[in-house]
Amino acid sequence: QVQLVESGGGLVQAGGSLRLSCAASERSFRGYVMGWFRRIPGKEREFVAASTWSGGNTAYGDSVKGRFMISTDRAKNTVYLQMNSLKPEDTAVYYCASKPWTGLYSDLYRNNYAYWGQGTQVHVSS
């Protein structure tokens, strides 16, 4: 059973930064994709970023490109989401997710992840 535990959420002022962490259960994620999604109240879950476990392929949602960066630390079995230049519209619950990768770049964006964390709240004040 894959377990993903997010942390690092909190309250930050607009323009500030936060780094989210997603600690994965002890297993090899070689061949897996790690993704970040967010859910804003009243809206559908939104793709934020994804990376193959090796870090060789990454993808970002249009609303976060140039501001957010996903990275993996294979030694710590952890994936990070560095969020810079935060805006009030980034306020959401952020979820970490994982799935086996098909090898298709487009699959990074697809919302068909098999494993999900419990989420961590991010609130950006204006």
Side-chain angles (χ1 to χ4, degrees):
Q1 181 71 22
V2 175
Q3 291 185 332
L4 303 171
V5 180
E6 302 97 333
S7 61
L11 175 64
V12 63
Q13 288 188 331
S17 299
L18 277 177
R19 189 178 77 161
L20 304 183
S21 300
C22 173
S25 56
E26 293 185 5
R27 58 157 293 159
S28 172
F29 283 88
R30 182 178 180 182
Y32 274 66
V33 171
M34 307 302 293
W36 285 97
F37 288 78
R38 66 187 183 187
R39 186 183 295 277
I40 298 170
K43 296 186 177 182
E44 293 187 357
R45 187 164 55 196
E46 176 187 6
F47 170 77
V48 176
S51 173
T52 51
W53 189 243
S54 68
N57 292 277
T58 58
Y60 295 90
D62 289 340
S63 61
V64 306
K65 280 181 182 177
R67 300 188 298 122
F68 290 12
M69 185 175 74
I70 188 171
S71 61
T72 58
D73 186 330
R74 293 182 293 282
K76 295 183 178 180
N77 246 30
T78 300
V79 59
Y80 301 100
L81 183 68
Q82 178 66 43
M83 306 186 296
N84 300 322
S85 302
L86 283 162
K87 305 174 182 179
E89 51 264 44
D90 293 319
T91 295
V93 177
Y94 284 73
Y95 298 90
C96 176
S98 179
K99 65 179 176 180
W101 190 41
T102 61
L104 297 174
Y105 183 77
S106 59
D107 196 43
L108 293 175
Y109 294 89
R110 292 186 63 198
N111 187 7
N112 62 343
Y113 283 71
Y115 308 105
W116 293 86
Q118 82 289 351
T120 185
Q121 176 73 52
V122 171
H123 185 87
V124 184
S125 63
S126 57

